[in-house]
Amino acid sequence: MEKIVTYIVKKRKTLFVLTSILILIGGLTSSIPAFDGNIIGFDLKGNEFYNTSERENEIFGGQNKVYLKITPSDDTLKNVFAGVRALEENLKVEYPKTSIISLRSFYFGMFYKSENKNILINEFLKNASNYPILNDLISNDKKSFLVLMSVDTLKKLNINIFNSVINKKYTGISSIKAISLYHVGDTIEKYIRRDFVILTAIIILFFILFFLFTYRNLTAIIFSVFIIGISILSTLFFFSLFHIHLNLVTVLVVPVVLVLSLSDTIHLLNGYIKTNDILDKEEKLKKVINHNIIPSFFSSATTAAAFFTFYFFNDSIFIREFGLITGLCLMAEFFLTFLMAPYLLNIIRVKKINGGKINWIGNFLEKNKKIFSISFILIFIASFFFISKLNFINSSQMFFPKDSELYATHEEFNKDFYSQMKFDILIERKINVNFGELEKDTALENAVNRISKFCYTIKGVVRVNSATENYEVESLFGNSFNFLDKLGSKNPYYSKKNKIYRIELKVNNAKIIREISRDVFPFIVGKFPEFKLSQTSPSLIMDYVNKRVSSSLINSLLTSCFSIILFIFIMTRSIGLTLTSLLPNLVPLSFIVFIYVILGLEINILTAITAVVCLGLLDDDTIHILYRRLWLKEPLEELSFSILSTSILLSAGFGMFYFSSFEPTQIFGIVSASIFLLGVICELTLMPWIINFWLDSIQYKKGKEQDEK
C-alpha cells in the first residue's frame, strides 16, 4: 500500500489529467435519464393473488380503464344524459378504438317508462343502484356516477388532450373527475422531476454553506464542488449505461450519492489541514492519503455491498435498480476521488478549521462515554421486545403526493365507489371431478348461489355481486328478461366460454379483506371440495409484496452484516473485537424500532430499506476509528472532528428528504437522519469504550504472562 500511495502522489498530475479525460468521455456519453411515473416496480412472480387477478382480467376484462366521475347538476335525467352523450362522442373522436360503458347505454332497454316523465337524475340513480354492474357505476350517496372508458389499445394516454375533452362544458354536468393508471403515472412523473431538482439543489447548497462556514476559504469549496461533480457525472453515466429511468426509488440515487461522497472529502480536507506543519508537499500528501485510502476503501466497499444486497435479494425492480446504481457509484467515486485528490489538495489554502462547537461536542461525548455506552446497550436489548409491534403496509396510494389533485381524487373515488376495497372469488369445476352431463352446469351454478348467499352474512361486506342473482327488467316490447342473461359475453360475473363464475364482495374497510382471506375463504373451500376456488384482491396482492419485502430485508441485513464483519476482521484479526465492534452499528438501528412504534409509522417497500442503508453507512466511522487506533496505533485527533462533521452532513443531507413530495421518502429521510445522529454518538462513546476495554484486556493478559514467567 505504501508503494501505491507513493505512486499516486508522485504521478498525481498525470493521474489527474487521465482521470479528467475519462470523466469527460463518460460525461459526453451520458444524459439525464428519462423520468418514469410507473408505480408497479414489483416482481410478482409466485404471487397467487396477482396471478388470479391477471387471469380474471383476461377472462372478464378490466385492464387499463379510465374512470370518469360525473357529478350532475340539479337537472332532469334527459339533460344529464344529453351531456354524457356529448362527452362520449368527444372521447370517441380522440380515441376511436376505445369502448365506453355508462348508465346511458343501459337506459333505453331498462327504464324506458321514465323517458317522458322528466324525472330528476337522483331518482334514476337510486332506482338503477338496485342492479348489478349499475350499482358499481353509482356512488354510495347516489349523487354521482361513473363512465368507464377502456383504453387497452393505448400504451400511454396524453393527459393534456384527455383533460381538454373532459374540461369542456356539458349540458347537465356540474363536474367531471378522472383517474386511471395513466393519471397516476403522469402525476408521479411530474413530482419526481420536482424532487430530483429540489432535493439535489438544496443538498448541494447546504454542503457549500457548511464548507464555507467550517473552512472559510474558497479553495475548500472548489475541492468539495469538484468531488460533488464527480459523483453526479458517475451517477448519470451508470444510469445511461444500464438504461435505467428515474422512478419513485431511483430518483434518490443522486442525492444519496451526493451525501455519501462528502465523507471522503471531509476526511481528506481535515487530514490535509491537520498536517500543515509538514513543509514537504509530497510527504504531506503521502501521510494524508495513507491515513485515509485503506479505511475509505473498506468503508466504501461495505457501504456498496449493503446497496448491492438490494440488487441480489430484493423483489422490487425499482429497489434493485437503486441498489445497483448506488453501489457502483460509490465505488467509482472512491477510485476517482483518490486518483484526483492528491493533485487537487495542492490548491487548499486553509490554515485553521472553524469547528469549536463541533469539537466541544466531541469532548463532551469522550468524557461521558461510559454512561452513554451502558445506556445504549440497555436500549439495544429492550428493542427486541418491540420488534413484533412493527407493521408492514404497501399500497399504490402511499406514493401519491399528498398535495396533489391525484391524492384527493383517489380518496374521493375510494369513498364514493369502494374502488380498492373488494374481494373476488373465482369458481370453476375441478378437472378431475366427474359430473353427469346434465348436472355439471347446475351443480356449479348451485354452488355459486349458495356461496353468494353466505357472503351476505360476512361482517363488513356491504355488497355482493354474482351472476346467480335474478334481476328482472321489462323490455321495450313489454316482456321481462333477466338483466344478466342479456349481457352474454359481456357478463362480468360469468364466462360461458370458460365455465367460470366470479363473485365480487365490496367491503367498508380494507382490513376486513385480510380476515375474509384468512378465516372465511378456507371455510368456503372446505365446504365445496369438488370445485376449484381462487381468491384475489388489491389488498392481498400488496400483503404478499409486504411478506416478500420483509424476507428480502432480512437477507439484505444478513449479507450486509457479513460483509462488514469480513472487512473489520481483516483489520483487527480478532473475532471477539470484530463482533463487539458491530455494537456501535447495531445499537442505532434498534432506535428504528422505537421510532416506528412510538410514532405509529408503518413500514413499506421504501422505508423497509432504511435499516440496510443505515447499517451500510454507520460502519464507515467504525472502520476509520479501528484503522486509526489499532492499525496505525495513533490517537483519533482530527478524526473525531471528521466523524462529527460527516455525521452532521449525513443527517442534514438525508433530512432534506423531508422536502420530498412522497411520504415514504420523507419517512426514509427523517428516520435515517435520526439514526445517523445517534450513530455518531455511539461511535464516539461506545466504540472507544470497546477498544479501550479490549486493549486493557490485552495488556492485562501480557502482564499476567510476564508475572508467570
Side-chain angles (χ1 to χ4, degrees):
M1 184 53 64
E2 287 182 2
K3 291 180 179 179
I4 293 174
V5 171
T6 301
Y7 179 83
I8 290 174
V9 171
K10 284 189 174 182
K11 302 291 184 179
R12 57 185 180 275
K13 186 174 182 180
T14 303
L15 291 173
F16 177 80
V17 173
L18 292 175
T19 307
S20 298
I21 293 172
L22 180 65
I23 293 173
L24 181 61
I25 294 172
L28 292 174
T29 57
S30 305
S31 60
I32 296 177
F35 292 86
D36 185 3
N38 185 14
I39 62 171
I40 303 300
F42 307 121
D43 183 359
L44 296 171
K45 294 177 182 177
N47 188 332
E48 61 174 298
F49 309 113
Y50 176 76
N51 294 335
T52 301
S53 177
E54 287 288 283
R55 185 165 179 248
E56 179 183 275
N57 286 331
E58 182 181 342
I59 295 171
F60 297 103
Q63 295 174 318
N64 300 335
K65 290 191 180 298
V66 179
Y67 298 83
L68 294 92
K69 178 186 175 184
I70 311 296
T71 303
S73 55
D74 188 11
D75 211 338
T76 62
L77 176 68
K78 183 178 180 181
N79 288 340
V80 173
F81 275 5
V84 172
R85 180 178 181 178
L87 170 64
E88 292 177 8
E89 290 174 349
N90 288 339
L91 289 171
K92 281 285 188 178
V93 170
E94 294 293 343
Y95 312 101
K97 293 185 179 180
T98 61
S99 61
I100 296 176
I101 300 174
S102 73
L103 293 174
R104 193 185 68 84
S105 60
F106 294 101
Y107 171 65
F108 291 103
M110 297 178 60
F111 304 98
Y112 74 100
K113 292 182 179 180
S114 302
E115 183 181 2
N116 298 318
K117 292 184 179 180
N118 290 327
I119 65 169
L120 296 177
I121 183 66
N122 288 346
E123 294 180 33
F124 170 77
L125 294 178
K126 185 176 181 181
N127 189 9
S129 64
N130 295 318
Y131 294 85
I133 302 179
L134 304 188
N135 56 21
D136 282 339
L137 298 177
I138 299 170
S139 65
N140 299 323
D141 59 7
K142 312 298 186 294
K143 293 181 179 179
S144 59
F145 58 93
L146 293 177
V147 170
L148 270 61
M149 175 181 167
S150 177
V151 289
D152 293 351
T153 56
L154 293 180
K155 290 185 178 179
K156 188 170 183 180
L157 188 75
N158 189 310
I159 299 298
N160 293 328
I161 294 176
F162 181 82
N163 287 340
S164 69
V165 175
I166 68 172
N167 289 334
K168 291 180 179 179
K169 293 290 183 180
Y170 294 99
T171 303
I173 297 178
S174 174
S175 67
I176 302 174
K177 293 185 178 181
I179 193 169
S180 68
L181 288 177
Y182 303 108
H183 289 81
V184 171
D186 183 73
T187 300
I188 291 177
E189 183 178 317
K190 290 178 181 177
Y191 280 85
I192 288 174
R193 290 177 185 273
R194 173 190 175 276
D195 276 13
F196 178 76
V197 174
I198 291 179
L199 293 179
T200 302
I202 60 176
I203 288 173
I204 291 175
L205 178 62
F206 173 79
F207 287 166
I208 291 175
L209 292 175
F210 178 86
F211 278 90
L212 186 62
F213 174 79
T214 304
Y215 302 104
R216 299 188 178 184
N217 190 280
L218 186 61
T219 58
I221 297 175
I222 293 173
F223 181 78
S224 63
V225 169
F226 210 98
I227 302 302
I228 289 173
I230 291 174
S231 303
I232 293 176
L233 288 174
S234 63
T235 303
L236 296 179
F237 172 76
F238 286 115
F239 266 107
S240 300
L241 180 65
F242 294 103
H243 305 289
I244 293 175
H245 294 169
L246 285 167
N247 54 49
L248 282 164
V249 182
T250 56
V251 70
L252 299 178
V253 172
V254 174
V256 165
V257 173
L258 276 178
V259 173
L260 301 184
S261 66
L262 267 296
S263 175
D264 291 335
T265 307
I266 292 288
H267 286 295
L268 289 170
L269 269 177
N270 291 343
Y272 192 77
I273 297 168
K274 178 67 178 177
T275 56
N276 277 336
D277 56 317
I278 301 177
L279 300 178
D280 187 285
K281 281 189 177 181
E282 284 201 1
E283 290 302 316
K284 185 176 181 179
L285 287 170
K286 284 180 185 178
K287 183 173 182 179
V288 174
I289 301 300
N290 189 54
H291 272 59
N292 291 283
I293 192 169
I294 291 178
S296 289
F297 171 75
F298 281 1
S299 61
S300 295
T302 53
T303 305
F307 282 101
F308 283 139
T309 60
F310 295 142
Y311 179 74
F312 291 107
F313 297 112
N314 207 279
D315 295 311
S316 166
I317 298 172
F318 291 171
I319 293 182
R320 287 207 299 268
E321 293 173 345
F322 170 70
L324 176 65
I325 297 292
T326 308
L328 290 173
C329 287
L330 289 177
M331 293 311 301
E333 180 274 326
F334 164 78
F335 286 110
L336 293 174
T337 296
F338 277 87
L339 287 173
M340 304 185 81
Y343 181 79
L344 289 172
L345 285 171
N346 285 322
I347 68 169
I348 303 300
R349 297 292 181 268
V350 182
K351 298 298 182 183
K352 184 180 179 182
I353 301 174
N354 182 33
K357 292 183 178 180
I358 294 178
N359 286 326
W360 178 85
I361 295 173
N363 294 332
F364 173 79
L365 295 175
E366 173 67 23
K367 291 178 181 178
N368 298 277
K369 59 177 177 287
K370 187 174 182 179
I371 297 174
F372 277 106
S373 299
I374 295 173
S375 301
F376 282 139
I377 292 173
L378 293 175
I379 292 172
F380 175 67
I381 295 171
S383 67
F384 286 93
F385 297 97
F386 290 86
I387 291 177
S388 61
K389 297 184 180 295
L390 293 174
N391 293 317
F392 281 80
I393 186 170
N394 266 320
S395 70
S396 58
Q397 186 182 357
M398 68 186 179
F399 287 111
F400 295 174
K402 284 198 171 181
D403 60 342
S404 68
E405 183 180 348
L406 171 68
Y407 186 89
T409 302
H410 186 269
E411 288 285 291
E412 190 174 318
F413 270 71
N414 263 349
K415 177 183 176 183
D416 291 340
F417 302 99
Y418 299 129
S419 301
Q420 298 295 317
M421 294 186 287
K422 66 175 186 174
F423 179 88
D424 288 355
I425 302 175
L426 296 186
I427 308 169
E428 56 192 304
R429 297 192 309 270
K430 287 183 177 178
I431 298 175
N432 58 349
V433 176
N434 294 319
F435 292 92
E437 193 64 30
L438 297 176
E439 294 181 0
K440 56 183 180 181
D441 290 338
T442 304
L444 178 59
E445 184 177 349
N446 289 338
V448 175
N449 189 36
R450 290 170 59 191
I451 294 172
S452 299
K453 290 180 178 178
F454 173 76
C455 289
Y456 278 109
T457 66
I458 301 174
K459 183 181 178 181
V461 174
V462 295
R463 185 183 300 161
V464 178
N465 292 325
S466 169
T468 60
E469 301 288 348
N470 187 28
Y471 296 93
E472 291 295 329
V473 178
E474 188 175 352
S475 72
L476 287 167
F477 305 101
N479 61 313
S480 297
F481 61 87
N482 184 353
F483 169 67
L484 290 174
D485 288 344
K486 288 297 180 181
L487 292 176
S489 61
K490 295 183 179 180
N491 191 327
Y493 307 116
Y494 176 62
S495 171
K496 188 175 182 179
K497 177 183 177 181
N498 297 279
K499 302 293 184 183
I500 296 177
Y501 281 86
R502 168 176 169 254
I503 300 176
E504 181 184 64
L505 282 64
K506 291 291 185 73
V507 301
N508 55 18
N509 189 326
K511 293 182 179 179
I512 294 173
I513 293 173
R514 300 183 185 93
E515 297 175 7
I516 295 174
S517 176
R518 184 184 66 244
D519 304 325
V520 179
F521 183 75
F523 172 78
I524 297 174
V525 172
K527 287 289 184 180
F528 298 90
E530 66 273 28
F531 299 103
K532 179 183 177 182
L533 278 72
S534 308
Q535 58 175 327
T536 186
S537 168
S539 296
L540 297 178
I541 292 172
M542 298 312 295
D543 281 346
Y544 178 89
V545 172
N546 285 337
K547 293 177 182 177
R548 295 287 290 268
V549 167
S550 58
S551 175
S552 61
L553 174 63
I554 293 172
N555 290 333
S556 294
L557 277 172
L558 292 175
T559 307
S560 184
C561 279
F562 176 78
S563 65
I564 293 171
I565 289 172
L566 177 63
F567 280 103
I568 291 179
F569 179 75
I570 291 173
M571 286 199 305
T572 62
R573 307 296 172 89
S574 167
I575 296 177
L577 181 57
T578 298
L579 295 178
T580 53
S581 295
L582 282 178
L583 267 179
N585 300 318
L586 297 177
V587 168
L589 295 185
S590 66
F591 280 89
I592 294 179
V593 178
F594 291 106
I595 292 173
Y596 274 88
V597 171
I598 293 173
L599 298 181
L601 301 176
E602 294 173 319
I603 300 176
N604 55 57
I605 193 168
L606 180 56
T607 56
I609 69 175
T610 306
V612 181
V613 172
C614 289
L615 179 62
L617 295 176
L618 289 170
D619 75 289
D620 292 3
D621 295 334
T622 301
I623 290 172
H624 275 279
I625 291 173
L626 287 172
Y627 182 77
R628 183 66 62 90
R629 290 294 309 276
L630 301 180
W631 196 311
L632 298 179
K633 294 181 173 56
E634 296 179 5
L636 296 183
E637 295 180 332
E638 88 290 346
L639 187 60
S640 295
F641 177 80
S642 297
I643 290 173
L644 277 167
S645 299
T646 53
S647 297
I648 291 172
L649 287 172
L650 279 174
S651 298
F654 277 83
M656 296 300 176
F657 290 161
Y658 175 78
F659 297 102
S660 171
S661 306
F662 305 99
E663 186 177 5
T665 305
Q666 294 174 346
I667 295 173
F668 166 69
I670 293 170
V671 173
S672 298
S674 303
I675 298 308
F676 293 139
L677 285 177
L678 293 166
V680 71
I681 298 175
C682 282
E683 294 292 355
L684 295 178
T685 56
L686 185 56
M687 191 70 233
W689 190 55
I690 289 172
I691 292 175
N692 290 338
F693 180 82
W694 186 77
L695 291 174
D696 289 343
S697 64
I698 291 177
Q699 291 296 327
Y700 174 77
K701 287 180 181 179
K702 287 183 177 179
K704 192 174 182 181
E705 288 175 359
Q706 289 178 355
D707 291 341
E708 289 176 355
K709 289 179 180 180

